[in-house]
Amino acid sequence: MSERAATAKALDVPRVKDPKKAALLRARYRAEARYRSYGVISLAISTAFLIALMSNIMMTAWPAFWSHYLVIDVPLKAESIDPENTRTQDVLRSADYMAVVRTALDEAIPGIEGRVARKQLREVLSSGAADDVRSLVLADPGLIGKTVKLPLLLSDDADLFMKGVGTRVERTATRGIANPSATAGEATILTSGDDFAPLLTEIKKKAAERAAALRQQADRFEVHSGQGAHDSVAQLRAEADELQKRYDSPDFEEVLDSSVPSVLIEINDGLVKAARITGRAVTGDVLIPLKSTDPAQAGAWRIVTYTTPESSRAVGDRKVAFLDRFANAGMIEKTFNWRFFSSGDSREPELAGIRGAIVGSVLTLFVTLGLCLPIGVMAAIYLEEFAPKNRFTDFIEININNLAAVPSIVFGLLGLAVFLNFFGLPRSAPLVGGLVLALLVLPTIIISARAALRAVPPSIREGALGIGASKQQAIFHHVLPLATPGIMTGSIIGMAHALGETAPLLMIGMVAFIVDVPKSLTEAATVLPVQIYLWSDLPEVAFKYKTAAAIVVLLVLLFLMNGAAIWLRRRFERRW
């Protein structure tokens, strides 16, 4: 039986004869039970919010850790790369590899005609695909003259479509025999059955719903606006009548625009986008050329629907058709996005990475730790062990405690005024960022180091002094080693605090767009929190996922640093 249960049994309410005491005991037990329930409820609510937050971040970040490649045969022709057969690095590096990639794309889907169609086909790939081919040729010039199957990086919009962000593609089986009128340009497809009737019925149903909504809107205008809105009411009613006429006429041809789901016909290895539809025929533009117009070769043809209207997505119908064709042919490959960790920032979302931000964070924290750790520990030793107790030292201690609570942006303003404007140090450099963060973290390290020194029992000092050691020897040979775990814990927590800071670094110019990875303390750089801030403000949808992925990386680093602090405290902690 636990001690609490034994106490409760010893104070059993029914055994108390005095009614007032029994009532007091019952009230006390009820209050204790309520207090426990409040604690459990608070803990449950906090845990639920934390799980919801982390789940949302992870679900948003997950697509950014994967990327899609188009695997096609790329002819590395010598006349395109090195026509003079020099095989020098300068010639190979300056070759037009984008033309090589375009040739490979044209061979992957032959028959694409027209400047617009070819441009949309080329937009499927990222601008970095040519750079990947260049790197491969520079690494192995012997590939020139061969046709190599290579994975080429997709663009950000195409990559998001493959991740299910663009639109859902639905395919409907058909019964009748289809007869296409042309293999390219504008084509009409006639069917022996009413295969398009369900689509036509759905379109007319939506037209009727729209007509009813317009009539209700016209009625509200007429009631509330009076005669002044006569023209608007008449226009709404006319539009509603036109929509109702389309619904009432079963043979009325419907026109499909970019505001409705796209309807395409997959036939003879080609694709036709419907612009006009009846129960037995569709007329539209050929997106992917058909092999033949012979109905006998049509075989099993299908109706393909892109459920999201073209006006509501970044990837157009033609580009979706190309990607869908590549995916059905097994030419799309999904791999882990190592580029996210190995490359610097970029204006193209699919090429952007966090390597530059991580290196900048490491260099900045190196400067921060190199300055604030020795200065903070020495200041703590002096204040705790050597400084006299007077008004001056009390004033210093009060100001150190106050500095620990000063908003971080104040330190950024200080760094801007002193390090940049007065001393003229390079803007956006890890050196300046480290100096600013050192000022920010220094009070925390001093306070934690003093607490660690104070936790060492006085008997350690007295024993060292009793055997003839000087005060300095007692502090540095006995007290400081025993306080080291606490000092290390406070320092790691301070570094974790510095790693997550953004405001002071924005004030000293570390918000610049940095592509190259910094190699020294004076080169322009950025840090992980600032990189997250920059990506969150960009309009491309893909950067939203990159932002969440960078947040996950930052949280992992913070968890590792705080976990290291907890491990060090438990590993080297001594109980006196």
Side-chain angles (χ1 to χ4, degrees):
M1 183 181 296
S2 64
E3 182 180 353
R4 188 184 301 274
T7 303
K9 185 176 181 180
L11 297 176
D12 195 8
V13 176
R15 296 185 180 181
V16 179
K17 297 181 180 180
D18 191 347
K20 293 183 179 180
K21 292 182 179 180
L24 290 174
L25 284 175
R26 284 193 296 269
R28 189 172 69 181
Y29 290 153
R30 286 195 299 268
E32 184 177 358
R34 284 195 303 271
Y35 179 77
R36 292 180 184 175
S37 62
Y38 294 157
V40 172
I41 293 173
S42 301
L43 183 61
I45 293 175
S46 302
T47 304
F49 277 113
L50 179 61
I51 293 175
L53 175 63
M54 297 304 298
S55 300
N56 180 265
I57 294 176
M58 288 300 301
M59 291 176 62
T60 307
W62 185 251
F65 291 113
W66 302 92
S67 56
H68 289 85
Y69 290 81
L70 174 62
V71 183
I72 58 176
D73 293 327
V74 180
L76 302 175
K77 299 179 181 179
E79 55 268 24
S80 300
I81 299 176
D82 188 9
E84 297 181 1
N85 199 25
T86 60
R87 296 299 190 269
T88 61
Q89 291 289 308
D90 292 338
V91 173
L92 297 181
R93 187 177 291 106
S94 60
D96 187 5
Y97 290 94
M98 185 57 69
V100 175
V101 172
R102 291 171 180 171
T103 302
L105 271 178
D106 293 339
E107 295 179 358
I109 301 185
I112 301 299
E113 299 178 355
R115 185 176 62 87
V116 175
R118 288 180 178 273
K119 179 182 178 182
Q120 291 178 345
L121 177 60
R122 292 162 184 172
E123 288 176 352
V124 167
L125 293 181
S126 168
S127 59
D131 297 331
D132 293 341
V133 178
R134 177 185 288 107
S135 301
L136 183 66
V137 173
L138 290 174
D140 187 6
L143 296 175
I144 298 177
K146 301 179 181 179
T147 298
V148 185
K149 188 178 288 295
L150 297 178
L152 303 178
L153 183 66
L154 296 183
S155 64
D156 58 325
D157 293 335
D159 182 64
L160 288 178
F161 170 76
M162 297 307 303
K163 293 171 181 175
V165 176
T167 180
R168 190 174 71 256
V169 179
E170 297 178 350
R171 287 178 168 82
T172 305
T174 55
R175 300 184 305 272
I177 298 175
N179 184 14
S181 64
T183 60
E186 185 178 81
T188 299
I189 299 177
L190 298 174
T191 175
S192 60
D194 293 335
D195 294 289
F196 304 122
L199 285 174
L200 188 62
T201 301
E202 185 66 24
I203 294 172
K204 291 182 178 296
K205 180 181 177 181
K206 291 182 178 179
E209 294 174 353
R210 175 62 177 164
L214 290 176
R215 291 193 191 95
Q216 292 178 0
Q217 186 176 359
D219 293 339
R220 288 195 299 268
F221 274 23
E222 192 173 19
V223 171
H224 297 290
S225 301
Q227 296 297 325
H230 178 73
D231 294 339
S232 299
V233 171
Q235 183 178 358
L236 289 173
R237 294 193 184 281
E239 186 177 352
D241 293 339
E242 182 66 24
L243 290 172
Q244 188 65 38
K245 185 186 300 182
R246 289 166 53 183
Y247 176 74
D248 295 335
S249 176
D251 296 329
F252 192 87
E253 183 181 66
E254 290 290 341
V255 177
L256 305 179
D257 55 20
S258 60
S259 63
V260 298
S262 300
V263 178
L264 302 98
I265 311 303
E266 194 176 76
I267 181 173
N268 282 352
D269 292 334
L271 200 64
V272 179
K273 179 184 176 181
R276 300 185 301 276
I277 183 173
T278 63
R280 291 179 175 271
V282 295
T283 301
D285 297 327
V286 177
L287 300 185
I288 298 179
L290 283 63
K291 288 185 177 180
S292 172
T293 59
D294 186 0
Q297 297 183 7
W301 60 283
R302 293 181 294 183
I303 300 174
V304 183
T305 305
Y306 301 160
T307 56
T308 304
E310 189 176 20
S311 59
S312 302
R313 45 186 160 91
V315 184
D317 287 337
R318 193 183 298 271
K319 194 182 296 186
V320 172
F322 294 148
L323 292 171
D324 193 43
R325 173 61 59 89
F326 289 139
N328 291 334
M331 301 168 66
I332 302 293
E333 182 182 88
K334 179 181 178 181
T335 60
F336 186 77
N337 190 9
W338 294 107
R339 193 188 300 266
F340 180 69
F341 299 95
S342 61
S343 61
D345 196 9
S346 174
R347 295 298 184 189
E348 303 296 332
E350 72 276 8
L351 301 177
I354 59 173
R355 182 185 174 190
I358 291 179
V359 173
S361 297
V362 171
L363 294 176
T364 302
L365 292 182
F366 175 77
V367 175
T368 302
L369 186 63
L371 288 174
C372 65
L373 182 60
I375 295 176
V377 172
M378 297 305 295
I381 292 175
Y382 175 77
L383 291 174
E384 189 65 29
E385 303 293 344
F386 295 99
K389 303 300 180 183
N390 52 35
R391 293 184 177 180
F392 179 70
T393 56
D394 291 340
F395 176 77
I396 293 177
E397 291 179 4
I398 291 174
N399 280 277
I400 290 174
N401 293 327
N402 289 335
L403 285 175
V406 169
S408 59
I409 196 170
V410 176
F411 292 96
L413 293 172
L414 176 63
L416 175 64
V418 176
F419 300 131
L420 295 183
N421 296 338
F422 184 76
F423 289 106
L425 295 177
R427 183 178 295 271
S428 190
L431 176 62
V432 181
L435 290 171
V436 172
L437 294 181
L439 296 176
L440 174 65
V441 177
L442 187 60
T444 303
I445 291 183
I446 293 176
I447 293 172
S448 62
R450 291 191 65 185
L453 293 170
R454 197 179 301 117
V456 178
S459 58
I460 301 297
R461 301 173 178 81
E462 295 170 358
L465 295 174
I467 60 175
S470 64
K471 186 172 183 179
Q472 179 179 350
Q473 291 174 329
I475 298 302
F476 286 95
H477 294 175
H478 298 275
V479 177
L480 184 60
L482 295 176
T484 298
I487 296 175
M488 293 173 63
T489 300
S491 301
I492 294 176
I493 293 176
M495 290 298 102
H497 179 201
L499 177 62
E501 280 296 337
T502 306
L505 301 181
L506 296 179
M507 298 304 300
I508 61 171
M510 293 193 80
V511 71
F513 173 71
I514 307 297
V515 177
D516 298 327
V517 178
K519 297 180 176 61
S520 67
L521 298 177
T522 56
E523 291 187 8
T526 187
V527 293
L528 205 50
V530 176
Q531 187 70 77
I532 293 171
Y533 169 77
L534 290 174
W535 282 350
S536 66
D537 198 39
L538 295 177
E540 290 85 352
V541 178
F543 274 117
K544 178 183 73 172
Y545 302 96
K546 293 278 186 178
T547 301
I551 291 174
V552 170
V553 174
L554 179 60
L555 289 176
V556 169
L557 294 177
L558 293 175
F559 288 157
L560 290 176
M561 295 181 72
N562 285 280
I566 295 173
W567 181 82
L568 287 173
R569 184 173 69 245
R570 293 185 176 180
R571 175 66 176 80
F572 298 103
E573 185 179 30
R574 292 192 179 186
R575 298 191 179 275
W576 309 100

